[in-house]
Amino acid sequence: MELPIARGNPYLRGGRIEPSSEQTDTIISESFSPVSKSSIAERHKTEGWLSATPSTLLLGMLPHPQLRLRVPLELEVERADDTITVWNEKLQELGYGTYLTAAVEDFQQAVTELYLTLSSEQDRLGPAMAELWQQLQDYIEYRQ
Amino acid sequence: MTIKAFEFDRIVRKLEMSTRKGADRHAWLEYEGRIIIRTRRSEKKGDLPFSHKIRQQLRLNEEQFGRLIGCSLDRDGYLAILQEKGLL
């Protein structure tokens, strides 16, 4: 039985909306025209496109069996070309990656290594590193 | 200000920083047996993203960072800046 809605309407055949040939040409040209990452980033800014990358996130754990975070670390997220960076202002540490998860994992490794290094070198830290060590202890502790 | 990977490596050599090569490159500045400053970069070649973060880790302003990249600021000059900031 033929659906009444499709009868007599050139855009409706078998109950589906089909574009005209002009519309098809437009869709194809928009779909396959080369779009650079920078132009996408520009359209995010100028046209208010929503981004799937958050501007901040909270990190809740470190991938080390002996270390735990006392409180979540706030990470600022930035994107430039094909790299995402996460940054914690208090610890002045960053992580890089081609996607967000990789950047966060890189940050976790960097902070873990930083904590273990400063922990083992506590007796010979300059003022800036001693201050950083204090900051690290506010956020990280050894598991009991 | 963008810094290239080879410029970062040149800074590390010029400041006589200790390095450890892993997935990323960590660099530590030691002075009179104490660890003073640390920084790191990814193993990425070419332009390093977010060079201003590296500058912050080195505790320099943009003008000083520019001189460090441009070779007019050497280890002694850098240590003098850190001394002024009370970081030695």
Side-chain angles (χ1 to χ4, degrees):
Chain A
M1 186 175 116
E2 193 176 6
L3 294 171
I5 195 170
R7 194 178 301 144
N9 187 330
Y11 296 113
L12 298 174
R13 297 187 188 115
R16 293 195 316 159
I17 298 175
E18 293 186 5
S20 66
S21 59
E22 294 82 8
Q23 288 172 318
T24 302
D25 290 343
T26 303
I27 291 169
I28 290 172
S29 67
E30 286 186 355
S31 300
F32 295 97
S33 62
V35 179
S36 68
K37 287 180 179 176
S38 59
S39 73
I40 290 175
E42 187 60 30
R43 292 176 78 168
H44 274 290
K45 289 178 188 170
T46 59
E47 299 178 24
W49 282 18
L50 294 176
S51 172
T53 306
S55 57
T56 60
L57 60 87
L58 291 175
L59 177 67
M61 58 88 65
L62 292 175
H64 191 283
Q66 292 179 310
L67 300 181
R68 66 180 288 269
L69 283 173
R70 295 174 191 267
V71 289
L73 282 171
E74 184 171 344
L75 304 182
E76 297 169 24
V77 183
E78 290 184 44
R79 178 191 286 274
D81 297 329
D82 60 347
T83 303
I84 288 186
T85 289
V86 293
W87 167 261
N88 180 268
E89 186 66 30
K90 292 246 173 74
L91 302 182
Q92 299 268 301
E93 189 55 87
L94 73 164
Y96 298 98
T98 50
Y99 49 92
L100 183 58
T101 307
V104 170
E105 287 174 354
D106 186 53
F107 178 88
Q108 288 174 312
Q109 288 191 339
V111 168
T112 299
E113 182 169 340
L114 184 64
Y115 184 90
L116 295 174
T117 302
L118 295 190
S119 175
S120 64
E121 304 280 2
Q122 286 178 54
D123 298 336
R124 59 183 205 100
L125 298 180
M129 292 298 99
E131 185 183 338
L132 178 59
W133 173 234
Q134 286 298 322
Q135 295 268 19
L136 277 167
Q137 290 178 94
D138 289 342
Y139 287 102
I140 303 169
E141 66 182 357
Y142 278 105
R143 290 184 188 278
Q144 300 298 318
Chain B
M1 180 178 295
T2 304
I3 180 174
K4 295 184 183 300
F6 78 88
E7 291 173 322
F8 180 95
D9 293 340
R10 192 170 61 199
I11 289 170
V12 165
R13 285 195 303 273
K14 183 164 63 170
L15 298 181
E16 300 171 22
M17 300 176 90
S18 309
T19 58
R20 265 177 260 162
K21 196 168 182 183
D24 278 74
R25 180 162 293 180
H26 296 255
W28 305 81
L29 177 76
E30 296 188 20
Y31 177 72
E32 295 183 345
R34 294 195 303 166
I35 298 173
I36 306 300
I37 288 291
R38 67 82 173 79
T39 187
R40 68 192 283 259
R41 75 159 173 89
S42 69
E43 284 295 305
K44 184 181 161 94
K45 292 179 180 173
D47 287 347
L48 294 180
F50 311 106
S51 302
H52 57 291
K53 305 299 189 192
I54 294 171
R55 177 181 64 75
Q56 279 183 253
Q57 290 179 327
L58 293 174
R59 310 296 176 105
L60 294 173
N61 62 32
E62 288 201 23
E63 184 268 333
Q64 293 163 339
F65 193 52
R67 286 200 290 129
L68 185 63
I69 296 169
C71 296
S72 64
L73 182 63
D74 59 10
R75 177 180 163 94
D76 288 342
Y78 180 59
L79 290 174
I81 290 170
L82 296 181
Q83 177 82 59
E84 282 176 22
K85 295 183 175 184
L87 298 177
L88 287 188

